[in-house]
Amino acid sequence: MRSIKHVVDGLSGLDAAVMTDSELSEGIGEVSRAIEVLEALFLRMTARLDRRRPFEADGILSTSRFLATACDMASSTAREKVRVARRLESMPLVAERFAAGELTYSKVRMLAAAADAHPEAFESHEATLVDVAMSLTVRDARRALDYWTQNLEGPLSFAEMVERSHVHLSRTWQGMITGDILLDPEAGETVVKAIEAAMPPGDARASGEDWPRKASQRRAEALTHICRRYLENGDSTTGGERPHVTVLVDLETLERRTGHTCELDRSGSIPAETARRLACDARVSRVIVGPDSQPLDVGRTTRTFTTAQRRAVTVRDRHCVFPGCDRPPPWCDVHHVIHWIDGGETAVSNGALLCRRHHVLHHEGGFGIEGSDGHLVVTRPDGSVIAKHGPPTRRRL
Ligand SMILES: [Zn+2]
Ligand SMILES: [Zn+2]
């Protein structure tokens, strides 16, 4: 073990900044192979530890717990290393290639998963599967191994597909939500059809924007739209009230003084400008708290447009008022041109239809909107005017 320490100490003195381009591009492959050779050694040592279990003398009950502590690893990583180390003992060809630095850990891990699923079949196919894994990229090797596994398992019944379906949603950086979705073909078709039907146009001009939006962004918008419509009109109720998004915000934040409380139920804290936008229309319930955290204004009862006012604004504006945008009323919020927190009235004259995208561009993107009664001046963040316009002329019925 002293030799490993000796080699590693020598390596840590190497300075990437002084390497030539060819040293970097040739050397990086060699370093990567060295890492794999060390990884293979690490797993062989893990397998030995797992058999001999010297850590039990210290009251540590599992190999993965020992690795997590001794190597400062996440528990999930440690468990995976132990699983792969154990499996490698019954995959002699894989172990040999791995030790020689010819198979990477990424591929070894996939091969181990395939062997876990079908140990006997793997034993008889090991040589072929090693050749396949070595000749393909990581991505293609994964596909080939998935195909091999599925072929052994045979087709799934519909009930098994339903059984396997899931939607995992989790919160990430800055409260954004990420998801992993697996649906049976029928449910999947329903979701895909609904999202396609709700997708806003991809043509940049049709949505009044200077840049075309990617299909993936438009799908995100469509999914949000569907869910908002469901919360507004759907048949689901909780506690006698339709479920809805709630924002908790303090008065100082809304008034653009220094505030701190600004949260959504599930997504956690949000920027102050976003809270101002959410408080602008009634689609999101809000709880506004004073300095002592006592609620000042709860729910949709005040300072939000009534159904009749909303209808009047819709009749006047017809669609989103942002220049060039014709997204229809169901896509739109009724925006307070002068925010009610700044003394703006909740009146038809102070309302304007803005699609969610443009409502965001105004509150969070610096685009200005001023005026009243549908006569509006829209400006870019630098203050230059995009358009001055009145309400669209009435079409003859
Ligand atoms: Zn607004
Ligand atoms: Zn718009």
Side-chain angles (χ1 to χ4, degrees):
M1 294 316 286
R2 200 172 297 143
S3 65
I4 288 183
K5 190 171 180 330
H6 184 71
V7 170
V8 170
D9 285 348
L11 291 175
S12 62
L14 294 176
D15 184 0
V18 300
M19 292 180 190
T20 63
D21 287 355
S22 66
E23 278 173 339
L24 283 173
S25 42
E26 284 161 25
I28 201 146
E30 286 173 30
V31 171
S32 171
R33 262 189 299 284
I35 293 170
E36 299 297 344
V37 170
L38 282 174
E39 181 81 59
L41 174 62
F42 179 89
L43 292 185
R44 289 199 300 278
M45 291 168 72
T46 300
R48 285 290 145 190
L49 278 168
D50 190 50
R51 281 165 183 246
R52 298 187 202 160
R53 309 182 83 76
F55 44 79
E56 283 183 353
D58 296 332
I60 296 174
L61 299 177
S62 74
T63 315
S64 59
R65 186 90 303 270
F66 172 74
L67 281 190
T69 312
C71 310
D72 199 12
M73 259 178 199
S75 308
S76 55
T77 312
R79 279 196 299 273
E80 182 193 278
K81 301 275 185 198
V82 173
R83 198 165 56 236
V84 176
R86 283 178 188 158
R87 179 49 67 187
L88 264 175
E89 299 217 294
S90 60
M91 304 193 297
L93 296 176
V94 176
E96 192 186 312
R97 301 296 186 147
F98 188 29
E102 294 169 16
L103 264 178
T104 61
Y105 181 66
S106 309
K107 288 177 176 174
V108 168
R109 194 173 54 177
M110 290 190 276
L111 289 161
D116 279 342
H118 301 286
E120 280 157 32
F122 191 92
E123 210 179 316
S124 48
H125 296 168
E126 186 179 358
T128 315
L129 292 173
V130 166
D131 282 347
V132 166
M134 284 178 58
S135 62
L136 297 176
T137 62
V138 171
R139 189 176 160 173
D140 289 343
R142 181 188 305 279
R143 254 191 226 138
L145 286 167
D146 281 349
Y147 186 72
W148 178 82
T149 310
Q150 282 163 15
N151 230 16
L152 287 175
E153 286 172 355
L156 295 177
S157 72
F158 196 81
E160 285 168 327
M161 292 186 201
V162 172
E163 191 61 34
R164 288 192 184 197
S165 64
H166 62 250
V167 174
H168 296 300
L169 298 174
S170 52
R171 189 178 311 145
T172 68
W173 186 67
Q174 290 195 337
M176 291 186 82
I177 300 284
T178 183
D180 170 30
I181 297 175
L182 184 69
L183 296 172
D184 67 74
E186 185 192 340
E189 187 76 7
T190 308
V191 170
V192 169
K193 281 270 157 61
I195 289 179
E196 278 173 1
M199 255 166 96
D203 179 4
R205 273 170 311 161
S207 56
E209 286 157 12
D210 296 337
W211 63 93
R213 309 192 60 219
K214 285 188 285 187
S216 57
Q217 293 172 317
R218 291 184 290 119
R219 276 194 290 275
E221 206 175 331
L223 182 62
T224 311
H225 179 63
I226 292 165
C227 296
R228 288 178 69 170
R229 292 298 297 273
Y230 178 76
L231 290 181
E232 285 159 17
N233 310 315
D235 50 11
S236 166
T237 54
T238 49
E241 193 187 18
R242 286 195 178 121
H244 50 261
V245 177
T246 302
V247 59
L248 177 73
V249 59
D250 68 19
L251 198 58
E252 293 194 326
T253 306
L254 277 187
E255 288 174 342
R256 288 211 180 95
R257 294 184 279 133
T258 46
H260 43 271
T261 308
C262 214
E263 291 173 358
L264 286 179
D265 296 2
R266 293 291 179 84
S267 300
S269 70
I270 51 169
E273 292 307 319
T274 305
R276 281 176 65 85
R277 172 171 56 79
L278 294 176
C280 184
D281 188 40
R283 293 183 184 224
V284 171
S285 279
R286 54 184 199 270
V287 178
I288 299 167
V289 293
D292 50 358
S293 295
Q294 288 299 313
L296 296 178
D297 172 39
V298 180
R300 298 156 181 253
T301 48
T302 55
R303 287 148 181 171
T304 52
F305 293 93
T306 63
T307 309
Q309 285 173 322
R310 182 179 287 275
R311 207 171 291 137
V313 172
T314 302
V315 166
R316 186 193 63 209
D317 292 346
R318 290 167 179 270
H319 51 73
C320 172
V321 299
F322 206 89
C325 182
D326 59 1
R327 292 218 182 128
W331 284 84
C332 295
D333 295 333
V334 182
H335 162 68
H336 283 76
V337 178
I338 302 171
H339 204 294
W340 56 263
I341 202 81
D342 301 325
E345 258 189 288
T346 304
V348 175
S349 59
N350 190 38
L353 279 189
L354 275 180
C355 72
R356 183 167 178 271
R357 175 94 185 126
H358 285 124
H359 205 180
V360 170
L361 279 183
H362 167 59
H363 283 276
E364 285 108 313
F367 285 81
I369 297 171
E370 283 175 15
S372 65
D373 287 314
H375 294 272
L376 302 169
V377 181
V378 181
T379 52
R380 297 185 183 87
D382 65 5
S384 60
V385 173
I386 303 175
K388 286 182 198 194
H389 64 74
T393 43
R394 216 160 248 288
R395 260 176 282 151
R396 277 219 255 140
L397 298 171

